[in-house]
Amino acid sequence: MPWNNGDYPPSYKNQPKKIREKAVEIANALLSDGADEGVAIATGLKNAREYFKHKKSEQ
């Protein structure tokens, strides 16, 4: 099930908006590639956190 900013997994609820939006983007891409929903949710959140951690260290 694809998500958007108004409808996202409960585990994304308390995340900052920018992380939540990136996690949704990543999770939706994984779903379209055939990943399991649980894997897409977890991987999306993990990769979104890493993405912003890496962006912050570049500054």
Side-chain angles (χ1 to χ4, degrees):
M1 166 181 141
W3 299 285
N4 59 49
N5 291 325
D7 178 33
Y8 44 81
S11 60
Y12 292 6
K13 180 181 177 185
N14 294 321
Q15 300 300 315
K17 184 177 180 181
K18 66 182 183 179
I19 291 177
R20 184 172 56 237
E21 289 174 349
K22 190 67 171 175
V24 165
E25 177 186 333
I26 294 167
N28 283 337
L30 290 168
L31 285 176
S32 70
D33 287 344
D36 178 64
E37 190 172 294
V39 171
I41 291 169
T43 303
L45 188 53
K46 179 183 177 191
N47 288 348
R49 288 177 177 158
E50 287 295 318
Y51 175 82
F52 286 106
K53 181 179 177 183
H54 180 39
K55 294 246 333 157
K56 186 176 182 180
S57 68
E58 289 180 350
Q59 296 176 349

